[in-house]
Amino acid sequence: MNEIPEDGPQRFASDEARWAAVLARDVAAVDAFIYAVRTTRIYCRPTCPSRRPRRENAEFYADAAAAEQAGYRPCQRCHPQAASLPQRHAQSVARACRLIQHADTLPSLDELAQVAGLSRFHFHRVFTAVTGLTPKAYAAACRSERVRQALTRQDTVTDAIYAAGFNSSGRFYASAERILGMAPKRYREGGKGMEIQFALGECSLGTILVATSDKGICAISLGDDAEQLLQAFQEQFANANLTPGDKRFDAWVAKVVAFVEEPGVGLSLPLDIRGTAFQQRVWQALTEIPLGSTISYAELAERIGSPKAVRAVARACASNSLALAIPCHRVVRSDGALSGYRWGVDRKRTLLMRELAQGKAAK
């Protein structure tokens, strides 16, 4: 199950929450709902600078169309019937993203800004805020995905590199292992020749799979069915040399299981962490959340300097393959409720309760 943040409309599901947002002119609510004033028959955005009505005169609608259907007319100050600034920015960035995705080489910043209808400096700030990546980093991510696809179709690695839009093989090979998690040839061959030790076991959270490469632990997965866990792992490395762990590895697995049972003891083992630059930022921030604490997806996005990239943050959490070692279970909805978790919401709840108890005991 992927993690989906519910910091948007769900945060303003009740009239009380909506009214509080109106009083605070909360920018997070700008596209979440519309409020209308019975005495003036006018509807506004939650952030409208006009004088606030009495609470008993305010009512709420999902959007401008619903308010107009109820007989209200739009405010002439905040123009709630038009696209909001965040919506316009999202549309501009979407046009730029499509240009990047279909271009053989990265368009210049001026070309992207022109397509977006913004100045080059404003465009760079808006693009980074919306996607969590710079235009250059986004283009690199697109090329990386092209490489993954091309490696399964082209006759040679070199053909795949150029088919994906890289101008030189040297620049690709410099970052290949970080992008693919292994050498390009190995990726093309499904991890052929790659040595991975693994073990399946049981812990209080169900079945656990632990795997290591030559660089450290590369997977910690939780589930209810050992065969499903193993099948998913085998599909990821279809041609790798998967072998049961030796005695040294058994000791590592024991440490991982002990860490699952008592997160407060820490996990002093090397980790093989591979991901994009944005994922690395998110995962690093996750490791800095104290035991027994939680933050929202929106707060995590703020912490990495990309406040508008809430959904991108959630996708990075969902891509985490190291359960507990990278504690994505400590991210919750803005109202404190639990959202989806790759290894199940019940496990997330158990982990948080366990860590809270251990955190209190440590004080």
Side-chain angles (χ1 to χ4, degrees):
M1 180 186 296
N2 286 343
E3 303 194 25
I4 302 175
E6 300 184 52
D7 294 319
Q10 290 297 324
R11 176 180 169 187
F12 307 105
S14 69
D15 285 353
E16 291 76 12
R18 292 171 177 173
W19 179 243
V22 169
L23 293 178
R25 293 186 172 89
D26 188 347
V27 295
V30 69
D31 291 320
F33 64 90
I34 291 293
Y35 81 91
V37 184
R38 294 187 181 96
T39 53
T40 62
R41 306 306 298 173
I42 290 174
Y43 70 91
C44 303
R45 299 186 193 280
T47 54
C48 182
S50 61
R51 182 179 178 181
R52 294 305 185 236
R54 291 179 179 274
R55 173 64 185 89
E56 61 268 22
N57 292 329
E59 56 185 8
F60 307 97
Y61 295 92
D63 51 35
E68 291 186 8
Q69 188 173 4
Y72 290 95
R73 64 184 187 276
C75 171
Q76 295 303 302
R77 297 189 68 179
C78 64
H79 301 287
Q81 78 282 16
S84 66
L85 184 61
Q87 288 173 332
R88 295 198 300 274
H89 282 170
Q91 292 166 0
S92 296
V93 169
R95 290 196 296 272
C97 286
R98 285 193 292 270
L99 179 59
I100 292 173
Q101 290 165 4
H102 295 99
D104 291 332
T105 59
L106 175 63
S108 69
L109 193 58
D110 286 329
E111 290 173 317
L112 292 171
Q114 184 176 4
V115 167
L118 301 169
S119 72
R120 68 192 306 269
F121 298 109
H122 189 205
F123 166 74
H124 194 278
R125 290 196 299 270
V126 169
F127 190 99
T128 303
V130 171
T131 66
L133 298 171
T134 64
K136 184 177 181 180
Y138 182 83
C142 290
R143 286 199 305 269
S144 299
E145 182 58 31
R146 289 181 194 171
V147 167
R148 292 186 181 94
Q149 296 175 4
L151 282 171
T152 64
R153 298 193 302 263
Q154 301 295 325
D155 292 333
T156 68
V157 172
T158 300
D159 289 341
I161 292 171
Y162 287 104
F166 280 88
N167 293 326
S168 71
S169 58
R171 293 187 64 183
F172 169 73
Y173 278 106
S175 57
E177 292 233 359
R178 178 179 57 79
I179 292 171
L180 301 172
M182 65 188 80
K185 185 175 180 181
R186 280 185 174 176
Y187 185 92
R188 183 169 178 266
E189 297 173 347
K192 185 177 181 180
M194 191 174 182
E195 298 289 336
I196 297 179
Q197 292 190 64
F198 73 93
L200 287 160
E202 297 295 323
C203 64
S204 62
L205 297 177
T207 302
I208 186 170
L209 182 148
V210 181
T212 64
S213 68
D214 58 350
K215 296 183 179 180
I217 296 177
C218 59
I220 301 174
S221 300
L222 301 167
D224 299 314
D225 187 291
E227 288 188 9
Q228 290 182 357
L229 285 179
L230 184 57
Q231 181 179 351
F233 190 70
Q234 289 174 328
E235 288 175 354
Q236 183 178 359
F237 299 99
N239 296 317
N241 185 17
L242 304 179
T243 59
D246 55 21
K247 290 184 177 180
R248 175 176 175 271
F249 182 67
D250 288 344
W252 281 30
V253 174
K255 286 188 177 182
V256 173
V257 172
F259 176 60
V260 170
E261 305 303 332
E262 291 191 61
V265 303
L267 185 62
S268 56
L269 293 173
L271 302 177
D272 184 1
I273 303 174
R274 309 294 178 94
T276 67
F278 182 80
Q279 288 173 331
Q280 295 276 4
R281 285 164 56 198
V282 174
W283 296 341
Q284 178 59 40
L286 288 172
T287 64
E288 295 168 0
I289 303 172
L291 181 75
S293 300
T294 59
I295 64 173
S296 71
Y297 292 97
E299 290 170 331
L300 182 56
E302 288 271 3
R303 187 169 293 189
I304 65 169
S306 300
K308 295 184 179 180
V310 178
R311 289 197 174 275
V313 163
R315 287 193 294 270
C317 291
S319 300
N320 171 31
S321 61
L322 290 163
L324 281 83
I326 297 176
C328 55
H329 60 278
R330 295 176 189 167
V331 190
V332 298
R333 284 170 36 177
S334 289
D335 61 3
L338 304 186
S339 59
Y341 181 54
R342 180 172 181 172
W343 295 285
V345 174
D346 288 341
R347 289 188 180 88
K348 183 171 188 172
R349 182 179 294 107
T350 299
L351 283 168
L352 291 176
M353 292 176 64
R354 181 179 297 171
E355 291 185 358
L356 181 62
Q358 291 184 18
K360 289 181 178 178
K363 292 181 179 178

